[in-house]
Amino acid sequence: MNVSRIALAGGVAASTVLILAGTASAHVSVQPQGEAAKGGYATINFKVPNERDDASTTKLEVNFPTDHPLASVMPQPVPGWKIVVTKSKLAKPLEVHGNKINEAVSKVTWSAEGSKSDLGIRPGQFQQFPLSVGQLPEDADQLVFKAIQTYDNKEVVRWIEEQKDGAEEPESPAPVLKLTAATTDEHGAADDKAGAVGADQAKDEHTEASSASSSSSDTTARVLGIVGILIGAAGVAFGVLAGRRRTA
């Protein structure tokens, strides 16, 4: 009897852990495709699960951090969703590649379009919303995006609570993008290498062409020389024959 009670209690505890884990993970989050390196550019995805059994998610609003504004934000089209990018004037202009930027994206909003039967993110489903962003800050380890999720029954869930050090995860945590250490930009090095290879290749082709041209010139000269000798020999023979005819 005691064994059965212990087993039952263990099963209930395990089920509770699974339910809590599912609840904790079922929130709006953001993840990069690959890495989000400091000082670079990245493609990030906002993952939005539907947490309701009787309503669909029809709107997502993502607010961008004001302490580290991003000069470049480009959304990837998502079928069935209208995208609105909102920009705001910066109190302090950004300098990107030598250019001053006076405004930056402050908010991106996705709104579902279509018929009621297939509108938005339905129960038991999730949707990803990709963005290309940059230039990522060099003096931060993470970026916090505050998101607002709206259902077709007018319910609004605000994923805006920031995680505090040493504290448990809040009930409605804001999506956090972790930044990795800055990496060396290999793109320029690759271009330089490709340019060097191209220059060497062009040099080799020029050398081969010069050699071929020189060889062709030598061959032409030899042919012309042989033809000249033959013509000269023919002239001599013609002269001898003509002399003999006159003598005869």
Side-chain angles (χ1 to χ4, degrees), residues 35 44 71 104 109 111 138 184 186 190 194 197 206 227:
E35 290 187 347
I44 60 177
T109 305
S111 300
E138 299 179 352
T184 302
E186 297 179 355
V197 171
H206 177 71
V227 171

Short mmCIF file of all heavy atoms in Angstrom, two decimals, residues 35 44 71 104 109 111 138 184 186 190 194 197 206 227:
data_model
loop_
_atom_site.label_atom_id
_atom_site.label_comp_id
_atom_site.label_asym_id
_atom_site.label_seq_id
_atom_site.Cartn_x
_atom_site.Cartn_y
_atom_site.Cartn_z
N GLU A 35 24.88 32.57 -35.13
CA GLU A 35 25.32 33.37 -33.99
C GLU A 35 24.91 34.83 -34.16
O GLU A 35 24.71 35.30 -35.28
CB GLU A 35 26.84 33.28 -33.81
CG GLU A 35 27.35 31.92 -33.35
CD GLU A 35 28.83 31.96 -33.03
OE1 GLU A 35 29.49 32.96 -33.39
OE2 GLU A 35 29.33 31.01 -32.41
N ILE A 44 17.52 36.91 -36.89
CA ILE A 44 16.93 36.40 -35.65
C ILE A 44 15.47 36.02 -35.90
O ILE A 44 14.82 36.56 -36.80
CB ILE A 44 17.01 37.44 -34.51
CG1 ILE A 44 16.26 38.73 -34.88
CG2 ILE A 44 18.47 37.75 -34.20
CD1 ILE A 44 16.24 39.77 -33.77
N ALA A 71 20.27 50.26 -36.18
CA ALA A 71 20.05 51.11 -37.35
C ALA A 71 19.40 50.35 -38.50
O ALA A 71 18.66 50.92 -39.29
CB ALA A 71 21.38 51.71 -37.81
N ALA A 104 15.92 55.16 -35.78
CA ALA A 104 16.09 53.71 -35.75
C ALA A 104 14.73 53.06 -35.52
O ALA A 104 13.78 53.71 -35.08
CB ALA A 104 17.07 53.31 -34.65
N THR A 109 5.53 45.27 -36.04
CA THR A 109 4.22 44.67 -35.73
C THR A 109 3.80 43.74 -36.86
O THR A 109 3.83 44.12 -38.04
CB THR A 109 3.15 45.77 -35.56
OG1 THR A 109 3.59 46.69 -34.55
CG2 THR A 109 1.82 45.16 -35.14
N SER A 111 0.54 41.55 -38.15
CA SER A 111 -0.90 41.38 -38.00
C SER A 111 -1.40 40.33 -38.99
O SER A 111 -1.08 40.39 -40.18
CB SER A 111 -1.63 42.71 -38.25
OG SER A 111 -1.19 43.70 -37.34
N GLU A 138 28.51 46.48 -29.39
CA GLU A 138 29.74 45.83 -28.95
C GLU A 138 29.91 45.87 -27.44
O GLU A 138 30.77 45.18 -26.89
CB GLU A 138 30.95 46.51 -29.62
CG GLU A 138 30.93 46.41 -31.14
CD GLU A 138 32.12 47.10 -31.78
OE1 GLU A 138 32.87 47.77 -31.02
OE2 GLU A 138 32.31 46.99 -32.99
N THR A 184 36.31 37.85 -36.05
CA THR A 184 37.01 38.53 -37.14
C THR A 184 36.19 38.43 -38.39
O THR A 184 35.69 37.36 -38.74
CB THR A 184 38.39 37.89 -37.38
OG1 THR A 184 39.13 37.96 -36.16
CG2 THR A 184 39.14 38.64 -38.48
N GLU A 186 35.73 37.66 -41.74
CA GLU A 186 36.47 36.91 -42.74
C GLU A 186 36.05 37.27 -44.15
O GLU A 186 36.66 36.86 -45.12
CB GLU A 186 36.29 35.41 -42.52
CG GLU A 186 36.83 34.94 -41.18
CD GLU A 186 36.62 33.46 -40.98
OE1 GLU A 186 35.97 32.85 -41.84
OE2 GLU A 186 37.11 32.92 -39.99
N ALA A 190 38.46 37.08 -47.25
CA ALA A 190 38.13 36.19 -48.35
C ALA A 190 38.18 36.94 -49.67
O ALA A 190 38.66 36.44 -50.68
CB ALA A 190 36.76 35.57 -48.14
N ALA A 194 40.59 36.14 -52.67
CA ALA A 194 40.03 35.89 -53.99
C ALA A 194 40.65 36.84 -55.01
O ALA A 194 40.95 36.47 -56.14
CB ALA A 194 38.52 36.07 -53.97
N VAL A 197 44.15 35.63 -55.76
CA VAL A 197 44.06 34.46 -56.64
C VAL A 197 43.72 34.91 -58.05
O VAL A 197 44.28 34.44 -59.04
CB VAL A 197 43.02 33.46 -56.11
CG1 VAL A 197 42.79 32.36 -57.14
CG2 VAL A 197 43.49 32.85 -54.80
N HIS A 206 48.10 35.95 -68.79
CA HIS A 206 48.83 36.91 -69.60
C HIS A 206 50.15 36.31 -70.07
O HIS A 206 50.56 36.45 -71.22
CB HIS A 206 49.10 38.18 -68.80
CG HIS A 206 49.91 39.20 -69.56
ND1 HIS A 206 49.40 39.90 -70.63
CD2 HIS A 206 51.21 39.61 -69.40
CE1 HIS A 206 50.34 40.72 -71.11
NE2 HIS A 206 51.43 40.55 -70.38
N VAL A 227 59.69 29.89 -97.01
CA VAL A 227 59.07 30.29 -98.28
C VAL A 227 60.02 31.16 -99.08
O VAL A 227 60.16 31.05 -100.31
CB VAL A 227 57.74 31.04 -98.01
CG1 VAL A 227 57.20 31.66 -99.30
CG2 VAL A 227 56.71 30.09 -97.42
#
